Amino acid sequence: MISQDLNDSLTRVGPGSDAGAVLRHYWQPAALAEELVSGRPVVPVRLLGEDLVLFRDSEGKLGLIGRQCPHRGVDLCYGRLEDNGLRCPFHGWHFNRDGHCVEQPGEPEGSRMHEQIRTPAYPVVEKNGIIWAYMGPGEPPAFPNFDCFRAPDSHVFAFKGLWECNWLQALEIGIDPVHASFLHRFLQDEDPDEGYGKQFRDKAGNTEIPMTKLMRDYPRPDITVDDTDYGARLTTLRHMEDGRTHVRVTHSIFPETIVIPVSREMVIMQWHVPVDDKTCYWYSMFTSFGKPVDKALMREQRMKEHRLPDYAPLKNARNNYGYDPDEQARETYTGMGLDINVHDQWAVESMGRIQDRTNEHLGKSDVGIIRNRRRLRAAIDALKAGEPDKLPMRNGTDPAKLVGPVSNDAIAEDGDWARATVEADRMRRDNCPWDAHV
C-alpha cells in the first residue's frame, strides 16, 4: 500500500501534475487515422486533461489546437475547415495549424490584434494508423525503431477502446503475468486455428497445446523483470509436468505501453493513454511477421464489441459487463464472454475510477508493477530536480537502436528457455516479408 499523496502523484495527469509532466515528454496517441477519413476531417480530442481539436487541412497536413476559441470560448470543433486552418463560426477568427490567429475579419481594418492571439497547439504526426501528439517542452523526441513503426502499413492494424478508469491501473494489468491464468481462464478450449487476431487463442509455442489450456494448468509461474533502455522485460516461465518449460516474454515500455504476443505470427504494442484523471483509451498496434494483417476481419471482430464515434465498449458497468452466472459455471472464469478485453475492462474499472492504492497488498507476483512504479517515481523526481535527461529514452539513448522488442511464446524442451526464445524469434524474423532483423 502507498500514501494518498503518492497515489495522486502517480495517477494525476492534468497540466502541472507529476505524472502528467512525465507523460508529456513522450509522444502520445491522439486519434486513429480512420477517425479523420470523412468529408470534414475534424474531431475533438481530450488528452491528458486538455480539450483539443484535431484536423487535416486542404494540403493534407495535420493540426492539433485548443478546442475553445480564445475570443469568447466557443467550440472550435464546429469551426469552418478552410484556408488551411479552422475558422470560428462565431466571429470568423481564423487559426492555423500552429495555433496562431491569422485573421479577425470583424476587427477594424488594419488591426494587428490577431498577432497577439494564440491557442494551444501541439506537433502531430501519423504513423501506421495512429496520429501522435507531442505535448511536452522542447523538440519532440525521435520515435524508437520498434517493430510496429518499422513494419509496412499492410502488416500493422491499429484500434482503440475507451476504459472508464485511470491510465495507471489500465497499464498495470498488462504487466501482471499471473492474471492471465485466472481472469482469462477458459473452462473449455477453442480450436486454435479459429483464433486469428485474438489473444490466448493460439497454440503454445510449437506444440499442439492450446494457450488457454496451458494458462489454466500452470497458474504459478516464475517471473523475472530485467531493466532495459526503454523500460523493462518480463520473462514468465511455466514449468510443465513433462519437463518442458513454457516461456513468455513481454515488455513494459515507459511510460505507459506494453508489448505482448498475440500468436506466433503477431504481437501487440498497446498504449494506455489518459483522457483525463478518470478515463483512458487503450491504443493497440497489431504487427504481423507473416502475412499482411486481415484488417477487415480484425476491425469487424472489434466493432462487434465497440460503438462509434467514441470507441466505447458495448459491455460495461451499466449492463454488468454481460455477466452470466451460468456461463461462469461452465465456460469462462468471469462469466463475461470470450473477449478478454472485456475481462480486463471489468478488472480495471471495478477498482474505481482511480484505484485506492492506500488499501492494496501487492504480492511477489506483482514484481512488474512494483518495478514500474519505482521507475515512474524516479522520473517524477528527475523532472522536479530539473533533470529531464534522466528519463528513459530521453537519456541519450539512440532511438534508432531501440529495436524489437522481442516478445513471444516459446517452449524449451531442455530447460534452456533463453535459447528457445531467441530461436523462436529468429525463425519468425528470418521468414518475415519485411526487414524485421534485430
Side-chain angles (χ1 to χ4, degrees):
M1 58 185 68
I2 61 177
S3 70
Q4 185 60 53
D5 286 346
L6 179 54
N7 199 38
D8 290 343
S9 176
L10 297 177
T11 57
R12 303 287 182 173
V13 298
S17 63
D18 290 349
V22 172
L23 291 164
R24 282 170 171 79
H25 280 74
Y26 298 85
W27 286 99
Q28 299 292 326
L32 294 174
E34 69 176 42
E35 295 180 69
L36 290 181
V37 180
S38 70
R40 182 178 176 274
V42 180
V43 293
V45 170
R46 184 163 169 79
L47 183 58
L48 296 175
E50 299 185 38
D51 288 308
L52 308 165
V53 55
L54 174 68
F55 62 93
R56 193 186 299 276
D57 67 18
S58 56
E59 296 180 350
K61 296 180 179 179
L62 295 165
L64 181 66
I65 65 175
R67 184 169 178 173
Q68 266 54 57
C69 178
H71 182 199
R72 288 166 60 187
V74 303
D75 188 351
L76 287 177
C77 275
Y78 297 91
R80 296 176 60 85
L81 186 61
E82 59 188 28
D83 299 328
N84 286 330
L86 279 178
R87 188 180 297 277
C88 180
F90 198 10
H91 293 87
W93 289 21
H94 185 257
F95 297 89
N96 65 14
R97 293 186 302 268
D98 297 324
H100 293 285
C101 181
V102 295
E103 188 181 8
Q104 295 170 309
E107 290 299 303
E109 190 74 30
S111 170
R112 300 181 61 181
M113 175 186 172
H114 67 88
E115 296 177 4
Q116 310 301 317
I117 304 298
R118 283 203 65 182
T119 189
Y122 299 110
V124 279
V125 297
E126 183 176 343
K127 282 184 175 291
N128 274 355
I130 293 179
I131 295 169
W132 306 79
Y134 179 71
M135 300 172 66
E139 289 296 313
F143 277 81
N145 203 19
F146 293 144
D147 291 324
C148 61
F149 300 131
R150 294 172 62 193
D153 176 76
S154 58
H155 284 68
V156 179
F157 169 73
F159 200 74
K160 74 177 187 179
L162 183 69
W163 281 352
E164 295 180 79
C165 69
N166 181 260
W167 72 280
L168 186 59
Q169 62 214 60
L171 166 67
E172 289 181 343
I173 199 170
I175 50 178
D176 165 17
V178 170
H179 87 275
S181 286
F182 297 92
L183 185 65
H184 305 317
R185 181 177 295 187
F186 293 80
L187 307 183
Q188 301 176 25
D189 299 311
E190 297 180 321
D191 182 353
D193 293 333
E194 300 297 322
Y196 180 83
K198 300 176 182 179
Q199 296 180 55
F200 299 114
R201 299 301 209 284
D202 199 8
K203 300 169 185 175
N206 57 357
T207 72
E208 295 301 313
I209 305 172
M211 278 292 295
T212 48
K213 176 175 173 53
L214 187 136
M215 293 290 171
R216 183 173 66 241
D217 289 351
Y218 302 99
R220 288 189 174 92
D222 294 333
I223 303 167
T224 59
V225 178
D226 297 299
D227 291 336
T228 64
D229 288 335
Y230 48 78
R233 177 178 58 252
L234 289 81
T235 304
T236 305
L237 305 178
R238 287 178 165 86
H239 302 290
M240 303 165 65
E241 293 175 353
D242 59 9
R244 294 181 295 176
T245 299
H246 174 262
V247 53
R248 180 174 175 86
V249 178
T250 60
H251 299 267
S252 172
I253 310 292
F254 193 80
E256 70 209 286
T257 309
I258 61 171
V259 184
I260 58 176
V262 181
S263 63
R264 286 163 291 178
E265 180 180 351
M266 193 179 296
V267 299
I268 301 175
M269 197 161 185
Q270 181 165 296
W271 286 255
H272 304 87
V273 184
V275 174
D276 48 38
D277 291 341
K278 297 183 178 181
T279 317
C280 67
Y281 275 106
W282 55 261
Y283 280 81
S284 288
M285 298 178 79
F286 296 76
T287 303
S288 173
F289 293 90
K291 298 178 181 178
V293 177
D294 188 339
K295 297 188 182 186
L297 175 58
M298 296 278 281
R299 192 174 192 279
E300 177 186 346
Q301 289 171 344
R302 283 147 188 83
M303 286 312 303
K304 288 179 181 178
E305 303 285 348
H306 296 81
R307 72 182 186 201
L308 296 178
D310 58 359
Y311 295 82
L314 300 179
K315 292 181 179 179
N316 51 61
R318 286 165 285 282
N319 55 27
N320 297 320
Y321 302 93
Y323 173 70
D324 179 351
D326 291 333
E327 176 199 309
Q328 190 175 37
R330 295 179 287 101
E331 297 180 51
T332 67
Y333 207 67
T334 62
M336 297 176 188
L338 302 178
D339 181 1
I340 73 168
N341 277 323
V342 177
H343 308 166
D344 287 338
Q345 176 198 351
W346 164 80
V348 298
E349 289 185 351
S350 67
M351 297 174 184
R353 298 298 284 260
I354 303 177
Q355 181 194 350
D356 179 5
R357 292 177 177 82
T358 67
N359 238 348
E360 72 176 358
H361 299 80
L362 298 182
K364 185 176 181 180
S365 64
D366 297 309
V367 59
I369 293 170
I370 294 167
R371 295 277 287 274
N372 184 69
R373 290 185 194 173
R374 290 176 183 168
R375 189 174 297 107
L376 179 55
R377 291 177 67 179
I380 289 170
D381 290 342
L383 288 186
K384 288 182 175 180
E387 298 175 319
D389 56 349
K390 290 189 175 180
L391 270 60
M393 294 190 289
R394 302 299 304 263
N395 55 6
T397 301
D398 182 0
K401 295 181 179 179
L402 296 178
V403 295
V406 174
S407 179
N408 61 15
D409 288 287
I411 296 290
E413 300 286 346
D414 57 1
D416 190 346
W417 54 264
R419 181 167 57 84
T421 294
V422 170
E423 290 180 351
D425 184 67
R426 183 186 299 122
M427 183 180 301
R428 179 169 65 183
R429 293 179 185 275
D430 285 348
N431 294 311
C432 183
W434 50 273
D435 183 9
H437 288 94
V438 296

